[in-house]
């Protein structure tokens, strides 16, 4: 299944920008955010030519219903009207969208696709905003302009000519607003398929499935107010300072308040040290840093479940002498399976817990004591927990721990997954789900007068497999950069190239436009910062954050080009062409998004009275039954899980490699080759290793190394010449950046629990690079 070494190398060498100097590594000892962030932002805005518009736009960001929602991460907005509820990376994100650079028809006429395929991903995106629809011309190997009408007709004709609706797949990246999302899933289902792969399949699928199984609803139960009142925060597998920077404010406030903040991560990330809160002008002026951690534990990669089991075991042991260690009343009234779980914890020996977690018993007991002494605890997690074979079991173990002390359904307590893209949670709520429930489909059928397909569709990995086999012939991407984000890069490339038609609705040029099907379209859309003018006036779109708050986002900038269409209009255009007999009033919907919202109010649970409630000052919170102690599980109670601990200890000579983001990137969008908080400059093709693991292999800092991954099926994949960096990471663990390292992730290595590609635990060997024959 794997590609030739040459193909793999081509892929990994071309992601980041040309370094501006020699690689540097100096461990970072400064607080997160603060002036380092402010400097970085100013330089970045100057580069994008956004120094004039940027600040004005940023003042409008995340303001209750009068501004646009930051298109960056899914952290909720401040509820107290904080002016400047913003962060370095959100600003970069917005500036990147508002750049003055443009990719126009002259650009495409001057550069063939073959030429562009030799460009780095950084250079592709850095050309600026796309300006008009383009179609690939195989005769000239150029993208050439096409009218919107002809583009829609090409999509419609190709879809109509398929033998089965299941020969098309409709990918969503988590930035799509709720209204466009609803129309998009409606189009797919009216055409007759549930093939709705999305970025959640690579992200929080495990969280959704675990919370669904344990609590009956696949979302977190807490909100920001809970974060503000909790006694103890446990943060697992999140690089908050880079990926959810506004969480720093919550951590610093918690620390000020005297709450305990425990970070559990093989790497001590910047958020686990100190921060200067950027909107706190006094702190900024006086360089005053606040601690954001009271305890850091560094488990081995994949060791979280054992660590959490250890905490639970400690609490249960204590409860023999001190019954108050448990909330017996809560357990008896609201949970099922407690005795089995207790027996399992008792039967799991401490030495096994220590070996699998990589943490000594004394440290586990410290964490358990924090948990025991807190009246209210929140556990928060992100990809460090989910992108594993046993991601579902681990999230369920987290819930087990919370249940022991009744940390659910009351203020300041509960599970709090940190979602990824700004609207990835809203996408799911509004129907992007390849495994829809019968209740969802029944309501959709009634509200929209369609007959939706009942069989489950394809997720991300299954879509790639089906494209390779020629079973999916049309790939439509609503945002995102599928070619680069998905695992097993050369295999994914091959799958896309095997398509009859690939269509990408995008704001910027990216790899997925260059690695295309026999026919290919680039359809440029408005960004979230831009004014969306439709027949009935200026439109706003709604989004849902990590804590289930739904609110409106209104663009304020003039569109990057007069030829851009809004995402709902693009969906409607494709749908109208593909479904000539459709009774859905596609154009009528697009004239006024209130009409889409009225239909959503009928079709979606929790969206009653949508148009009114979404206009409330902070929007509204979708009701979360588990929060009200209503558990939609088979037993009607919160269910303890009883999974055996997996064996995550690497075999002798091998390492567990986690792929992750640098500080200066947004998934496949790379801003620079620096990773400030990890002390790295001018280098992305690196691997962080424990010093002893390096010494054992005769590897010194910046030595080039060869990395070989071995998949479950025994196939091997390679990266050549990455530079080793000695880092504070447990022995047997290594880390490096996505998407460069996606070539190491075998397509077949997805979790049997969640179907998520295993991106945080790749089995590798690393050795000093063999000399290469030129
Ligand atoms: N600026 C910026 N913001 C972003 C993104 C971005 O690319 N840039 N991406 C967005 C998206 S889509 C998502 S999903 C989120 C991702 O947010 P994160 O989950 O923070 O993303 P990663 O960079 O993959 O980092 C994962 C963290 O998990 C840790 N880790 C790795 N393996 C393990 C393990 O076995 N156990 C534990 N406990 N920790 C482990 C790593 O050390 C790292 O700190 O961020 C969102 N926000
Ligand atoms: N090895 C490894 N791989 C990973 C991960 C990992 O941790 N390790 N993480 C995974 C995760 S969590 C995720 S979410 C995926 C990310 O996967 P994707 O969501 O597919 O990728 P992005 O890089 O976020 O997409 C960037 C592109 O989105 C387009 N875009 C930006 N704004 C808009 C907009 O407003 N509308 C539209 N239509 N398009 C827009 C631009 O053209 C830009 O090039 O990657 C996954 N891949
Ligand atoms: Mo994500």
């Amino acid at each position: 299944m794997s590609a030739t070494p040459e193909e793999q190398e081509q892929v990994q060498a071309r992601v980041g920008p040309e370094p501006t100097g020699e690689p540097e590594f100096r461990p970072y000892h400064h607080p997160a955010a603060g002036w380092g962030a402010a400097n970085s932002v100013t330089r970045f805005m100057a580069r994008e030519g956004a120094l004039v518009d940027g600040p004005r736009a940023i003042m409008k960001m995340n303001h209750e219903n009068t501004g646009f929602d930051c298109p960056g991460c899914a952290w909720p907005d401040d509820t107290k009207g904080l002016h400047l509820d913003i962060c370095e990376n959100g600003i970069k994100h917005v500036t990147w969208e508002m750049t003055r650079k443009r990719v126009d028809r002259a650009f495409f006429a001057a550069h063939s696709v073959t030429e562009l395929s030799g460009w780095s991903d950084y250079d592709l995106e850095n050309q600026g905003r796309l300006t008009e629809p383009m179609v690939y011309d195989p005769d000239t190997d150029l993208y050439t302009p096409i009218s919107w009408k002809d583009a829609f007709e090409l999509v419609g004709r190709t879809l109509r000519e398929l033998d089965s609706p299941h020969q098309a797949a409709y990918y969503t990246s988590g930035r799509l607003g709720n209204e466009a999302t609803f129309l998009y899933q409606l189009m797919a289902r009216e055409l007759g398929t549930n093939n709705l792969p999305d970025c959640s399949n690579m992200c929080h699928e495990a969280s959704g499935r675990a919370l669904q199984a344990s609590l009956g609803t696949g979302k977190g139960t807490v909100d920001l107010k809970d974060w503000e009142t909790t006694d103890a925060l446990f943060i697992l597998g999140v690089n908050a300072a880079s990926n959810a920077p506004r969480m720093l404010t919550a951590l610093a406030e918690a620390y000020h308040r005297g709450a305990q903040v425990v970070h559990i991560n093989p790497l001590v990330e910047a958020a686990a040290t100190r921060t200067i809160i950027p909107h706190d002008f006094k702190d900024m002026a006086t360089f005053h840093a606040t601690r954001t951690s009271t305890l850091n534990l560094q488990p081995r990669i994949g060791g979280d479940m054992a660590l959490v089991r250890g905490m639970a075991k400690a609490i249960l042991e204590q409860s023999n002498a001190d019954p108050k260690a448990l909330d017996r009343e809560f357990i008896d009234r609201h949970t099922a399976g407690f005795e089995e779980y207790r027996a399992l914890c008792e039967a799991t020996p401490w030495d096994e817990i220590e070996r699998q977690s990589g943490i000594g018993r004394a440290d586990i007991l410290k964490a358990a004591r924090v948990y025991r002494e807190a009246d209210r605890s929140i556990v928060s997690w992100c990809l460090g927990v989910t992108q594993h074979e046993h991601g579902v079991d681990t999230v369920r173990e987290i819930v087990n721990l919370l249940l022991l002390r009744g940390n659910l359904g009351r203020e300041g307590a509960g599970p709090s997954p940190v979602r990824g893209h700004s609207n990835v949670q809203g996408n799911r709520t509004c129907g992007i789900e390849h495994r829809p429930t019968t209740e969802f489909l029944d309501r959709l059928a009634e509200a929209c007068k369609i007959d939706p397909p009942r069989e489950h569709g394809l997720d991300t990995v299954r879509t790639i497999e089906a494209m390779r086999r020629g079973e999916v012939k049309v790939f439509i991407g609503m945002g995102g950069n599928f070619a680069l984000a998905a695992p097993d890069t050369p295999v994914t490339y091959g799958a896309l190239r095997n398509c009859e038609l690939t269509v990408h609705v995008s704001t910027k040029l990216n790899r997925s436009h260059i690695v295309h099907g026999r026919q290919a379209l680039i359809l440029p859309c408005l960004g979230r910062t831009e004014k969306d003018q439709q027949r009935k006036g200026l439109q706003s779109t709604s989004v849902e954050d990590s804590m289930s708050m739904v609110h409106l986002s209104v663009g304020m900038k003039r569109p990057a080009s007069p030829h851009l269409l809004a995402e709902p209009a693009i969906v409607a255009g494709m749908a109208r062409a593909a479904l000539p007999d459709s009774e859905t009033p596609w154009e009528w919907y697009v004239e006024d998004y209130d009409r889409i919202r009225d239909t959503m109010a009928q079709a979606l649970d929790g969206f009653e009275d949508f148009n009114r409630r979404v206009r409330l000052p902070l929007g509204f919170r979708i009701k979360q039954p588990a929060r009200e102690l209503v558990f939609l599980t088979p037993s009607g109670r919160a269910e303890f899980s009883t999974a055996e601990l997996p064996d995550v200890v690497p075999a002798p000579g091998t390492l567990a490699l986690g792929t992750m983001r640098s500080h200066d990137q947004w998934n496949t969008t790379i801003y620079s080759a620096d990773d400030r908080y990890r002390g790295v400059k001018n280098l992305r093709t690196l691997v962080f290793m424990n010093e002893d693991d390096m010494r054992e292999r005769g590897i010194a800092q910046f030595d080039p190394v060869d990395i070989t991954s071995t998949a479950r099926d025994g196939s091997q994949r390679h990266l050549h010449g990455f530079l080793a960096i000695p880092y504070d990471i447990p022995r047997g663990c290594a880390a490096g950046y996505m998407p460069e390292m996606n070539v190491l992730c075998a397509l077949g290595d997805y979790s049997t629990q969640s179907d998520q590609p295993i991106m945080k635990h790749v089995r590798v060997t690393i050795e000093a690079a063999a000399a290469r024959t030129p």
Side-chain angles (χ1 to χ4, degrees):
M1 183 193 267
S2 59
T4 64
E6 289 71 31
E7 268 179 298
Q8 297 199 348
E9 243 170 70
Q10 262 187 351
V11 171
Q12 46 103 352
R14 292 178 310 182
V15 174
E18 278 298 308
T20 51
E22 289 298 309
E24 290 174 31
F25 172 60
R26 242 177 260 124
Y28 185 85
H29 293 301
H30 309 287
W35 286 106
N39 280 335
S40 156
V41 160
T42 315
R43 277 199 309 273
F44 188 80
M45 282 190 178
R47 192 177 84 189
E48 295 304 310
L51 267 178
V52 182
D53 299 333
R56 207 159 50 97
I58 286 152
M59 297 304 289
K60 282 262 180 195
M61 209 151 98
N62 296 336
H63 272 209
E64 39 183 67
N65 282 350
T66 57
F68 60 89
D69 184 69
C70 177
C73 75
W75 188 256
D77 297 342
D78 183 83
T79 50
K80 300 183 294 289
L82 185 71
H83 285 285
L84 271 186
D85 181 23
I86 53 176
C87 76
E88 170 191 359
N89 277 348
I91 295 174
K92 280 188 200 152
H93 212 69
V94 168
T95 310
W96 190 252
E97 181 174 302
M98 295 196 322
T99 180
R100 294 182 172 219
K101 300 173 202 163
R102 295 289 179 272
V103 185
D104 54 14
R105 54 172 74 186
F107 172 89
F108 284 111
H111 306 286
S112 70
V113 170
T114 304
E115 183 203 329
L116 292 174
S117 67
W119 290 25
S120 72
D121 297 283
Y122 173 84
D123 283 333
L124 291 176
E125 278 221 21
N126 196 28
Q127 298 313 305
R129 289 288 299 277
L130 295 158
T131 51
E132 63 180 314
M134 305 297 290
V135 63
Y136 180 67
D137 177 356
D139 293 335
T140 57
D141 189 33
L142 295 170
Y143 271 105
T144 59
I146 182 172
S147 69
W148 279 107
K149 184 165 167 289
D150 290 349
F152 292 147
E153 189 40 43
L154 173 58
V155 179
R157 194 173 56 241
T158 314
L159 290 174
R160 287 196 311 269
E161 283 170 2
L162 293 176
D163 296 330
S164 146
H166 306 305
Q167 290 177 336
Y170 304 84
Y171 177 69
T172 312
S173 160
R175 207 163 308 184
L176 196 63
N178 287 335
E179 292 74 12
T181 297
F182 185 76
L183 294 186
Y184 189 51
Q185 61 85 35
L186 183 61
M187 168 175 89
R189 296 197 163 110
E190 204 172 319
L191 280 160
T193 186
N194 286 310
N195 287 349
L196 289 159
D198 68 349
C199 67
S200 255
N201 298 148
M202 301 184 263
C203 203
H204 271 289
E205 194 71 50
S207 305
R209 294 202 192 173
L211 293 171
Q212 185 72 41
S214 291
L215 304 178
T217 19
K219 295 179 185 180
T221 64
V222 313
D223 59 22
L224 258 195
K225 195 143 170 279
D226 297 318
W227 277 70
E228 286 159 9
T229 48
T230 190
D231 303 316
L233 283 162
F234 295 83
I235 317 283
L236 287 77
V238 194
N239 176 15
S242 298
N243 296 334
R246 288 181 295 147
M247 188 202 282
L248 288 172
T249 310
L251 298 182
E253 280 174 7
Y255 184 85
H256 268 309
R257 216 176 50 240
Q260 299 292 307
V261 186
V262 181
H263 293 267
I264 294 171
N265 196 316
L267 276 62
V268 178
E269 302 282 25
T273 55
R274 295 171 301 149
T275 184
I276 294 181
I277 305 173
H279 57 253
D280 188 325
F281 295 107
K282 195 166 115 259
D283 281 1
M284 283 289 273
T286 55
F287 291 87
H288 179 263
T290 306
R291 279 181 61 186
T292 45
S293 169
T294 53
L295 178 65
N296 291 338
L297 296 180
Q298 291 176 266
R300 69 167 80 249
I301 283 182
D304 302 80
M305 184 171 168
L307 173 53
V308 176
R309 173 73 49 87
M311 289 172 67
K313 186 178 171 74
I315 296 289
L316 288 163
E317 283 176 357
Q318 276 176 28
S319 72
N320 294 328
D322 169 16
K324 285 218 171 68
L326 297 176
D327 185 340
R328 271 318 300 222
E329 199 193 321
F330 179 91
I331 292 171
D332 293 343
R333 265 175 87 169
H334 298 294
T335 73
F338 170 69
E339 289 307 332
E340 291 83 346
Y341 181 63
R342 181 211 284 272
L344 178 71
C345 288
E346 280 168 3
T348 315
W350 273 111
D351 56 355
E352 181 65 3
I353 290 172
E354 289 186 310
R355 206 168 79 86
Q356 292 299 337
S357 66
I359 307 270
R361 183 168 169 179
D363 280 332
I364 298 177
L365 293 181
K366 270 191 214 162
R369 164 127 50 88
V370 173
Y371 183 61
R372 162 72 187 88
E373 287 175 357
D375 178 35
R376 297 172 283 194
S377 293
I378 287 176
V379 184
S380 181
W381 68 91
C382 198
L383 303 183
V385 166
T386 60
Q387 290 178 328
H388 290 271
E389 163 58 29
H390 49 278
V392 173
D393 283 346
T394 306
V395 174
R396 293 201 67 182
E397 194 72 22
I398 288 173
V399 176
N400 289 343
L401 180 69
L402 288 167
L403 295 178
L404 288 181
R405 292 184 42 76
N407 276 306
L408 195 75
R410 59 193 174 95
E411 195 175 273
S416 185
V418 182
R419 301 301 299 258
H421 274 294
S422 55
N423 197 39
V424 62
Q425 186 157 316
N427 293 160
R428 275 290 162 101
T429 308
C430 299
I432 306 300
E433 167 65 272
H434 62 284
R435 311 183 316 156
T437 62
T438 309
E439 301 84 76
F440 171 85
L441 292 176
D442 287 347
R443 265 184 84 165
L444 184 73
E446 201 183 306
C448 298
K449 313 279 177 296
I450 65 164
D451 183 15
R454 299 287 164 163
E455 63 270 47
H456 288 175
L458 303 173
D459 63 2
T460 293
V461 168
R462 293 329 189 301
T463 294
I464 298 169
E465 289 174 348
M467 292 193 295
R468 293 185 78 205
R469 290 194 300 264
E471 289 163 19
V472 162
K473 298 170 191 295
V474 178
F475 177 91
I476 299 184
M478 273 313 257
N481 186 357
F482 193 82
L484 219 52
D488 224 348
T489 316
V491 172
T492 296
Y493 282 15
L496 285 166
R497 289 198 175 111
N498 203 26
C499 285
E500 183 55 42
L501 172 68
T502 50
V503 181
H504 288 280
V505 179
S506 313
T507 50
K508 293 230 179 161
L509 187 63
N510 68 37
R511 186 66 55 192
S512 301
H513 308 139
I514 306 305
V515 179
H516 56 75
R518 277 181 287 286
Q519 305 183 80
L521 284 168
I522 305 175
L523 304 180
C525 65
L526 294 176
R528 197 172 293 163
T529 54
E530 290 167 333
K531 284 187 180 146
D532 180 357
Q533 187 70 47
Q534 302 295 345
R535 238 189 99 201
K536 296 283 175 185
L538 202 60
Q539 302 299 314
S540 49
T541 190
S542 67
V543 290
E544 174 185 341
D545 65 31
S546 262
M547 303 189 193
S548 304
M549 287 296 300
V550 180
H551 58 131
L552 283 179
S553 170
V554 198
M556 38 76 75
K557 280 258 311 163
R558 188 151 52 90
S561 144
H563 309 298
L564 302 182
L565 288 186
E567 282 157 324
I570 296 175
V571 175
M574 293 192 291
R576 172 56 76 217
L579 293 157
D581 302 325
S582 170
E583 284 175 13
T584 303
W586 297 100
E587 284 88 5
W588 182 81
Y589 274 144
V590 174
E591 287 175 1
D592 182 352
Y593 299 173
D594 277 0
R595 297 170 181 169
I596 311 176
R597 283 188 282 266
D598 279 337
T599 303
M600 291 169 79
Q602 293 167 42
L604 302 175
D605 198 26
F607 282 72
E608 301 74 27
D609 204 10
F610 188 11
N611 267 313
R612 183 186 64 79
R613 287 196 298 153
V614 80
R615 289 183 167 82
L616 296 172
L618 292 165
F620 67 97
R621 185 146 199 269
I622 299 181
K623 66 172 186 289
Q624 192 350 344
R627 165 91 199 193
E628 319 300 327
L629 300 176
V630 173
F631 301 106
L632 308 173
T633 56
S635 66
R637 290 160 167 253
E639 300 196 6
F640 278 97
S641 67
T642 49
E644 293 294 336
L645 288 188
D647 185 5
V648 295
V649 180
T654 70
L655 301 166
L657 173 93
T659 61
M660 59 188 187
R661 293 144 180 79
S662 80
H663 183 62
D664 242 4
Q665 83 181 75
W666 224 97
N667 298 337
T668 68
T669 298
I670 315 296
Y671 302 128
S672 84
D674 302 341
D675 191 356
R676 196 171 77 245
Y677 292 150
R678 297 195 186 106
V680 178
K681 269 187 98 160
N682 299 321
L683 184 64
R684 284 189 55 85
T685 46
L686 59 70
V687 56
F688 295 111
M689 294 176 73
N690 179 288
E691 244 174 325
D692 293 334
D693 286 330
M694 287 174 67
R695 201 169 305 121
E696 201 175 85
R697 291 165 173 75
I699 299 167
Q701 173 166 318
F702 294 141
D703 276 0
V705 296
D706 290 339
I707 311 173
T708 299
S709 68
T710 305
R712 283 173 183 160
D713 66 4
S715 62
Q716 296 198 318
R717 288 157 181 75
H718 312 275
L719 282 178
H720 183 78
F722 273 45
L723 305 192
I725 304 262
Y727 207 81
D728 179 9
I729 185 172
R731 282 209 74 174
C733 300
Y737 301 132
M738 59 89 65
E740 282 89 339
M741 285 189 161
N742 289 31
V743 296
L744 295 173
C745 305
L747 185 66
D749 283 6
Y750 51 85
S751 161
T752 53
Q753 309 188 337
S754 68
D755 299 316
Q756 267 188 251
I758 300 171
M759 291 163 159
K760 289 285 184 281
H761 193 153
V762 186
R763 288 188 300 152
V764 298
T765 54
I766 301 182
E767 52 193 37
R772 310 211 87 199
T773 40

